[in-house]
Amino acid sequence: MNKMKILKGIWKWGKRLFLVLFVGQLIYIVLLKWVNPPITFTQIGSIVNGRGFHQQNRSAADISANARLAVIASEDQLFPDHNGFDWKSIQKAMEYNQKKPGRLRGASTISQQTAKNVFLWQGRSWLRKGLETYFTFMIEKIWGKKRILEVYLNVAETGNGIFGIEQASQSYFNKPAKDLTQYEAAAIAAVLPNPVKLNVKPMSPYVSSRARKIGQQMNFLKPDRDIQNLIR
Protein backbone atom coordinates (compact mmCIF):
# COMPACT_ATOMS: atom_id res chain seq x y z
CA MET A 1 0.00 0.00 0.00
CA ASN A 2 2.80 2.41 0.91
CA LYS A 3 4.58 1.55 -2.32
CA MET A 4 1.46 2.43 -4.33
CA LYS A 5 1.20 5.78 -2.55
CA ILE A 6 4.86 6.51 -3.31
CA LEU A 7 4.41 5.63 -6.99
CA LYS A 8 1.27 7.78 -7.21
CA GLY A 9 3.14 10.64 -5.54
CA ILE A 10 6.04 10.31 -7.98
CA TRP A 11 3.61 10.23 -10.92
CA LYS A 12 1.79 13.30 -9.60
CA TRP A 13 4.97 15.32 -9.15
CA GLY A 14 6.30 14.07 -12.48
CA LYS A 15 3.22 15.40 -14.27
CA ARG A 16 3.58 18.74 -12.49
CA LEU A 17 7.26 18.97 -13.41
CA PHE A 18 6.49 18.13 -17.04
CA LEU A 19 3.78 20.80 -17.14
CA VAL A 20 6.11 23.42 -15.62
CA LEU A 21 8.89 22.56 -18.07
CA PHE A 22 6.52 22.55 -21.03
CA VAL A 23 4.99 25.91 -20.18
CA GLY A 24 8.44 27.34 -19.38
CA GLN A 25 9.97 26.37 -22.71
CA LEU A 26 6.91 27.64 -24.57
CA ILE A 27 7.20 31.03 -22.85
CA TYR A 28 10.94 31.07 -23.67
CA ILE A 29 10.29 30.36 -27.35
CA VAL A 30 7.73 33.18 -27.55
CA LEU A 31 10.05 35.56 -25.68
CA LEU A 32 12.89 34.88 -28.12
CA LYS A 33 10.74 36.15 -30.96
CA TRP A 34 11.78 39.61 -29.74
CA VAL A 35 14.69 39.04 -27.31
CA ASN A 36 18.07 37.58 -28.28
CA PRO A 37 19.14 34.35 -26.52
CA PRO A 38 21.38 35.24 -23.53
CA ILE A 39 23.71 32.25 -24.13
CA THR A 40 23.57 28.82 -25.74
CA PHE A 41 24.90 25.37 -24.85
CA THR A 42 27.35 25.59 -27.76
CA GLN A 43 28.70 28.88 -26.43
CA ILE A 44 29.01 27.42 -22.94
CA GLY A 45 30.87 24.46 -24.45
CA SER A 46 33.23 26.86 -26.21
CA ILE A 47 34.06 28.49 -22.88
CA VAL A 48 34.52 25.15 -21.11
CA ASN A 49 36.80 23.85 -23.89
CA GLY A 50 39.00 26.94 -23.66
CA ARG A 51 38.09 28.39 -27.06
CA GLY A 52 36.50 31.45 -25.52
CA PHE A 53 33.25 33.21 -26.28
CA HIS A 54 33.06 36.42 -28.30
CA GLN A 55 29.73 37.70 -29.63
CA GLN A 56 27.96 40.93 -30.55
CA ASN A 57 24.24 40.71 -31.32
CA ARG A 58 22.77 42.83 -34.07
CA SER A 59 19.26 43.37 -35.41
CA ALA A 60 18.44 42.43 -38.99
CA ALA A 61 18.59 46.12 -39.94
CA ASP A 62 22.25 46.21 -38.87
CA ILE A 63 23.25 43.13 -40.87
CA SER A 64 24.22 43.40 -44.51
CA ALA A 65 21.86 41.88 -47.06
CA ASN A 66 25.02 40.24 -48.40
CA ALA A 67 25.44 38.36 -45.12
CA ARG A 68 21.86 37.13 -45.12
CA LEU A 69 22.11 36.06 -48.74
CA ALA A 70 25.48 34.37 -48.19
CA VAL A 71 24.26 32.01 -45.46
CA ILE A 72 21.19 31.10 -47.49
CA ALA A 73 23.37 30.38 -50.54
CA SER A 74 25.81 28.39 -48.41
CA GLU A 75 23.59 26.54 -45.95
CA ASP A 76 20.01 26.33 -47.18
CA GLN A 77 19.00 27.56 -50.62
CA LEU A 78 15.42 26.36 -50.13
CA PHE A 79 15.07 28.30 -46.86
CA PRO A 80 12.25 30.60 -48.09
CA ASP A 81 10.19 27.66 -49.37
CA HIS A 82 10.31 24.81 -46.84
CA ASN A 83 8.52 24.43 -43.51
CA GLY A 84 11.74 23.90 -41.57
CA PHE A 85 12.81 20.60 -43.13
CA ASP A 86 14.30 19.80 -46.52
CA TRP A 87 12.95 16.27 -46.85
CA LYS A 88 14.71 15.46 -50.14
CA SER A 89 18.10 16.41 -48.70
CA ILE A 90 17.36 14.44 -45.53
CA GLN A 91 16.53 11.35 -47.61
CA LYS A 92 19.74 11.72 -49.64
CA ALA A 93 21.80 12.16 -46.46
CA MET A 94 20.26 9.02 -44.93
CA GLU A 95 21.06 7.01 -48.04
CA TYR A 96 24.62 8.34 -48.10
CA ASN A 97 25.16 7.61 -44.40
CA GLN A 98 23.93 4.04 -44.84
CA LYS A 99 26.44 3.48 -47.64
CA LYS A 100 29.29 5.26 -45.87
CA PRO A 101 28.67 5.12 -42.10
CA GLY A 102 32.17 6.39 -41.37
CA ARG A 103 31.58 9.68 -43.23
CA LEU A 104 28.33 11.15 -41.94
CA ARG A 105 26.61 13.80 -44.00
CA GLY A 106 24.08 16.22 -42.57
CA ALA A 107 21.08 17.87 -44.20
CA SER A 108 20.09 20.46 -41.62
CA THR A 109 18.23 23.57 -42.73
CA ILE A 110 18.91 27.01 -41.28
CA SER A 111 15.79 26.51 -39.15
CA GLN A 112 17.11 23.21 -37.76
CA GLN A 113 20.54 24.69 -37.11
CA THR A 114 18.98 27.63 -35.30
CA ALA A 115 16.83 25.34 -33.15
CA LYS A 116 19.89 23.24 -32.29
CA ASN A 117 22.13 26.22 -31.57
CA VAL A 118 19.61 28.08 -29.40
CA PHE A 119 17.90 25.32 -27.43
CA LEU A 120 20.07 22.19 -27.54
CA TRP A 121 23.50 20.68 -27.19
CA GLN A 122 25.78 19.33 -29.93
CA GLY A 123 25.48 15.64 -30.70
CA ARG A 124 23.74 13.00 -32.80
CA SER A 125 21.52 11.16 -30.32
CA TRP A 126 17.93 10.31 -31.22
CA LEU A 127 16.74 12.30 -28.20
CA ARG A 128 18.50 15.46 -29.40
CA LYS A 129 17.24 14.91 -32.93
CA GLY A 130 13.68 14.52 -31.69
CA LEU A 131 13.92 17.71 -29.65
CA GLU A 132 15.47 19.50 -32.62
CA THR A 133 12.45 18.51 -34.73
CA TYR A 134 10.08 19.88 -32.09
CA PHE A 135 11.91 23.19 -31.66
CA THR A 136 12.29 23.61 -35.43
CA PHE A 137 8.55 23.22 -35.85
CA MET A 138 7.86 25.71 -33.05
CA ILE A 139 10.18 28.48 -34.24
CA GLU A 140 8.86 28.15 -37.80
CA LYS A 141 5.34 28.70 -36.47
CA ILE A 142 6.11 31.35 -33.83
CA TRP A 143 9.14 33.28 -35.11
CA GLY A 144 8.84 33.20 -38.88
CA LYS A 145 11.62 33.10 -41.46
CA LYS A 146 13.04 36.59 -40.98
CA ARG A 147 13.46 36.16 -37.22
CA ILE A 148 14.95 32.69 -37.64
CA LEU A 149 17.53 34.08 -40.06
CA GLU A 150 18.30 37.00 -37.74
CA VAL A 151 18.84 34.73 -34.73
CA TYR A 152 20.93 32.30 -36.78
CA LEU A 153 23.23 35.11 -37.88
CA ASN A 154 23.69 36.11 -34.24
CA VAL A 155 24.29 32.68 -32.65
CA ALA A 156 26.08 30.65 -35.37
CA GLU A 157 29.72 29.91 -34.62
CA THR A 158 31.76 31.75 -37.26
CA GLY A 159 35.25 30.98 -35.99
CA ASN A 160 37.14 29.50 -33.09
CA GLY A 161 35.26 31.02 -30.15
CA ILE A 162 33.66 33.61 -32.43
CA PHE A 163 29.87 33.70 -32.61
CA GLY A 164 27.62 35.72 -34.87
CA ILE A 165 28.10 37.68 -38.05
CA GLU A 166 28.91 40.97 -36.29
CA GLN A 167 31.77 39.51 -34.25
CA ALA A 168 33.09 37.73 -37.33
CA SER A 169 32.94 40.92 -39.40
CA GLN A 170 34.78 42.90 -36.73
CA SER A 171 37.37 40.15 -36.15
CA TYR A 172 38.16 39.41 -39.80
CA PHE A 173 37.49 42.67 -41.66
CA ASN A 174 37.47 45.39 -38.96
CA LYS A 175 34.05 46.64 -40.00
CA PRO A 176 30.42 46.26 -38.86
CA ALA A 177 28.31 43.50 -40.39
CA LYS A 178 26.10 46.04 -42.16
CA ASP A 179 29.07 47.00 -44.37
CA LEU A 180 30.14 43.50 -45.46
CA THR A 181 30.76 43.12 -49.19
CA GLN A 182 29.51 40.11 -51.11
CA TYR A 183 32.88 38.35 -51.04
CA GLU A 184 33.49 39.10 -47.36
CA ALA A 185 30.06 37.71 -46.44
CA ALA A 186 30.71 34.65 -48.62
CA ALA A 187 34.06 34.09 -46.92
CA ILE A 188 32.43 34.03 -43.48
CA ALA A 189 29.68 31.71 -44.74
CA ALA A 190 32.36 29.41 -46.18
CA VAL A 191 33.59 28.41 -42.70
CA LEU A 192 30.16 27.61 -41.27
CA PRO A 193 30.36 23.84 -41.87
CA ASN A 194 33.36 23.63 -39.51
CA PRO A 195 34.16 27.01 -37.92
CA VAL A 196 36.65 25.52 -35.43
CA LYS A 197 38.96 24.14 -38.13
CA LEU A 198 38.27 26.48 -41.07
CA ASN A 199 39.56 30.06 -40.98
CA VAL A 200 38.73 33.28 -42.75
CA LYS A 201 42.11 34.72 -41.72
CA PRO A 202 44.48 33.30 -42.71
CA MET A 203 42.28 31.98 -45.50
CA SER A 204 43.08 28.53 -46.85
CA PRO A 205 42.74 27.73 -50.59
CA TYR A 206 39.72 25.58 -49.71
CA VAL A 207 37.88 28.42 -47.95
CA SER A 208 38.80 30.84 -50.75
CA SER A 209 37.47 28.45 -53.38
CA ARG A 210 34.32 27.78 -51.39
CA ALA A 211 33.75 31.52 -50.91
CA ARG A 212 33.91 32.07 -54.67
CA LYS A 213 31.37 29.31 -55.27
CA ILE A 214 29.06 30.78 -52.62
CA GLY A 215 29.38 34.16 -54.35
CA GLN A 216 28.29 32.56 -57.63
CA GLN A 217 25.27 31.03 -55.90
CA MET A 218 24.45 34.41 -54.36
CA ASN A 219 24.33 35.96 -57.82
CA PHE A 220 22.06 33.15 -58.97
CA LEU A 221 19.65 33.42 -56.00
CA LYS A 222 19.55 37.21 -55.60
CA PRO A 223 16.85 37.97 -58.22
CA ASP A 224 14.42 35.50 -56.64
CA ARG A 225 11.41 37.36 -55.17
CA ASP A 226 11.17 35.16 -52.05
CA ILE A 227 14.87 35.61 -51.37
CA GLN A 228 14.51 39.37 -51.75
CA ASN A 229 11.69 39.42 -49.22
CA LEU A 230 14.06 37.86 -46.66
CA ILE A 231 17.19 39.89 -47.25
CA ARG A 232 15.92 43.43 -47.87
Side-chain angles (χ1 to χ4, degrees), residues 35-188:
V35 179
N36 290 319
I39 196 167
T40 69
F41 286 111
T42 302
Q43 292 165 352
I44 293 171
S46 181
I47 296 170
V48 172
N49 292 328
R51 300 201 309 272
F53 167 46
H54 306 281
Q55 179 190 34
Q56 298 180 52
N57 287 315
R58 289 293 182 270
S59 66
D62 291 321
I63 298 174
S64 166
N66 286 324
R68 283 173 275 171
L69 181 58
V71 298
I72 293 173
S74 171
E75 299 294 292
D76 185 4
Q77 295 188 10
L78 296 178
F79 179 64
D81 305 313
H82 60 61
N83 63 352
F85 307 93
D86 182 353
W87 298 110
K88 288 185 178 180
S89 294
I90 290 173
Q91 181 62 35
K92 289 180 180 179
M94 291 175 64
E95 293 173 356
Y96 178 89
N97 294 339
Q98 287 177 350
K99 294 177 181 178
K100 299 182 179 181
R103 298 175 60 187
L104 296 179
R105 173 186 292 176
S108 293
T109 62
I110 286 175
S111 302
Q112 288 175 277
Q113 292 181 54
T114 304
K116 177 185 67 176
N117 286 338
V118 173
F119 301 103
L120 302 170
W121 61 94
Q122 300 295 323
R124 292 184 177 273
S125 69
W126 286 107
L127 172 62
R128 195 202 63 79
K129 202 65 182 176
L131 290 172
E132 178 188 302
T133 300
Y134 167 77
F135 283 114
T136 299
F137 174 81
M138 294 299 286
I139 63 175
E140 279 277 339
K141 295 298 182 183
I142 296 174
W143 293 3
K145 296 289 187 181
K146 285 192 174 183
R147 178 58 177 164
I148 290 172
L149 185 59
E150 179 182 348
V151 173
Y152 177 74
L153 284 165
N154 277 312
V155 302
E157 191 165 13
T158 49
N160 198 3
I162 298 173
F163 291 85
I165 194 71
E166 177 67 24
Q167 188 65 53
S169 182
Q170 296 286 357
S171 298
Y172 303 136
F173 302 112
N174 298 312
K175 62 169 63 174
K178 65 180 180 180
D179 294 332
L180 284 170
T181 67
Q182 177 171 306
Y183 181 75
E184 290 166 346
I188 294 173

Side-chain angles (χ1 to χ4, degrees), residues 2-19:
N2 289 335
K3 184 181 288 187
M4 287 298 295
K5 286 184 177 180
I6 292 172
L7 290 175
K8 286 182 179 179
I10 293 173
W11 174 249
K12 183 179 179 180
W13 282 105
K15 288 193 296 182
R16 288 180 178 177
L17 177 61
F18 175 80
L19 181 60

